[in-house]
Amino acid sequence: MQPSVTRWKTTTAARLRATELSLLAVVAAVGVGAGPALAADGNVAWTVRTASNGYGEARSSYSYNVNPGGAVEDAMVVANRGPAPLTLSVYAADGFTTDAGQLDLLTKDKKSVAIGAWVKPNAGSVVIQPGKTAPVPFKVSVPENATPGDYVGGILTTLTQADQAEGINVDRRLGIRIKLRVGGELKPNLAIENLHVTYAGPTNPFSKGDATITYKVHNVGNAALSGKQAVTVSGPFGLLRVRAEDVAAPPELLPGESWNVTVPVRGVAPAISLAAIATVTPLLTDASGSTTSLKPVQVTAHGWALPWMLVLVIVVLIAVLVGAYLYRRRNRAQSKAREDARVRDAVEQALRGPEPQTS
């Protein structure tokens, strides 16, 4: 099995003032499974792979379990596939999950506080002759006060070349992932935050509409976690329950990272009040690659699903009934007032007696 490694490419603006030079754009890392990772451009090409040693042969990446205060030593092998000598910079960097759900590494100008600070290559650069390979030894030293849990980063080789046509410096990076688990109590935990449900129904009050469920999956533990997700929407008392179609799993989130989720749910009845239930089952992967399902996390949120056309019809009907009632009540009041006046006049007439006759 050939190593699966990652490739990064960064462009820097060479025309900016020296104090303003910064790595501006990072192309998402891509896995290379059929062979060693290859960076090729014209006559310049090189590959990187893990060294074969006591940690294993043809490893897909580096993976270690180290207690606080401990250290391990390993190596990366770099091969020059081009026709000319090649000088590459070597450094380590912390990893993070991009908005596209892929692992990327901090650029050299960004400060690393974990893998990038704890991994030290024996040299900051390596020179490789054409057609030759060179080992790049490195040491991982975990501080005594390191917090237990998972850390991900990588070790990189870089080559900066000027692109005269574009007036920029092209910084080509090629590296291998490092996953480190620092010994101590492991507390894997995911949380569901900011759960909301909205509803969009058709004009036909007897047709079903669509609900949209949004929330954030937050890794609040100290272990890297992915998860299985499920979403349901129901009316009052759990009636008219609808389950969302397969909800994509979030990427493996590092401790502290979050992932925004939007789930459409089709065919939801306008049941006035909706209850949305989001469930995430954390998945923990150990050093051997085995995955364990942890206790599911479940959160419920409520929203309105009003059949507006039906509501409008009901409002109009109520208005008509109220108007008819008030009209009849006013007519009865007027009739009663007229009858009361007639009776009063008759009583007064009787009390006055017959009017005297005149001769």
Side-chain angles (χ1 to χ4, degrees):
M1 176 180 173
Q2 294 295 339
S4 172
V5 294
T6 52
R7 183 187 309 177
W8 295 267
K9 181 178 179 181
T10 306
T11 303
T12 61
R15 290 175 180 166
L16 298 177
R17 296 194 306 272
T19 56
E20 295 176 339
L21 287 178
S22 62
L23 299 173
L24 300 177
V26 178
V27 176
V30 294
V32 180
L38 172 66
D41 184 11
N43 292 327
V44 178
W46 79 94
T47 63
V48 295
R49 62 177 174 83
T50 57
S52 295
N53 50 33
Y55 294 108
E57 298 183 1
R59 291 168 288 166
S60 61
S61 60
Y62 300 106
S63 181
Y64 310 108
N65 289 314
V66 184
N67 291 324
V72 295
E73 295 184 5
D74 210 329
M76 175 173 60
V77 178
V78 185
N80 183 354
R81 305 302 186 189
L86 188 60
T87 301
L88 301 171
S89 297
V90 182
Y91 71 97
D94 289 349
F96 64 95
T97 304
T98 68
D99 291 340
Q102 297 174 320
L103 174 69
D104 202 351
L105 301 182
L106 295 179
T107 50
K108 196 172 183 178
D109 63 322
K110 302 293 178 60
K111 183 180 180 180
S112 292
V113 296
I115 296 291
W118 303 342
V119 175
K120 300 296 184 183
N122 281 17
S125 64
V126 60
V127 179
I128 312 148
Q129 298 302 317
K132 302 296 184 179
T133 62
V136 180
F138 61 87
K139 184 176 183 179
V140 184
S141 301
V142 179
E144 291 280 359
N145 61 350
T147 302
D150 288 343
Y151 300 83
V152 176
I155 184 166
L156 292 144
T157 56
T158 67
L159 177 66
T160 302
Q161 294 176 304
D163 187 329
Q164 300 298 334
E166 297 293 334
I168 60 175
N169 287 336
V170 178
D171 185 10
R172 295 159 57 210
R173 308 191 297 163
L174 197 62
I176 303 177
R177 185 178 70 170
I178 299 174
K179 183 174 182 179
L180 171 67
R181 178 164 290 175
V182 176
E185 184 181 3
L186 202 62
K187 299 178 180 179
N189 192 16
L190 292 178
I192 299 174
E193 300 173 348
N194 303 326
L195 177 63
H196 296 284
V197 53
T198 58
Y199 180 78
T203 55
N204 184 345
F206 303 103
S207 296
K208 295 180 179 180
D210 298 331
T212 301
I213 316 302
T214 58
Y215 56 92
K216 179 188 295 183
V217 178
H218 187 189
N219 188 341
V220 294
N222 63 356
L225 294 170
S226 182
K228 294 184 294 185
Q229 302 188 96
V231 172
T232 62
V233 177
S234 64
F237 310 108
L239 301 175
L240 305 174
R241 185 180 302 274
V242 180
R243 179 178 293 274
E245 297 180 1
D246 293 340
V247 184
E252 186 175 62
L253 298 175
L254 304 180
E257 291 186 332
S258 299
W259 184 254
N260 293 321
V261 180
T262 300
V263 181
V265 184
R266 315 295 184 191
V268 177
I272 311 300
S273 176
L274 294 181
I277 301 176
T279 304
V280 177
T281 303
L283 299 177
L284 177 66
T285 302
D286 60 23
S288 66
S290 299
T291 299
T292 302
S293 297
L294 306 180
K295 182 179 179 180
V297 179
Q298 190 172 90
V299 174
T300 302
H302 296 274
W304 297 105
L306 297 174
W308 293 110
M309 187 61 67
L310 182 59
V311 170
L312 179 60
V313 171
I314 293 174
V315 169
V316 171
L317 180 60
I318 291 174
V320 170
L321 293 175
V322 170
Y325 170 77
L326 293 177
Y327 178 76
R328 292 181 61 186
R329 182 178 178 181
R330 186 182 65 177
N331 284 346
R332 286 198 299 268
Q334 290 176 346
S335 297
K336 186 176 185 302
R338 287 194 298 268
E339 180 64 19
D340 289 345
R342 188 185 67 79
V343 171
R344 186 172 56 253
D345 290 344
V347 171
E348 290 177 354
Q349 180 66 30
L351 291 175
R352 286 198 301 268
E355 295 184 2
Q357 299 289 328
T358 59
S359 57

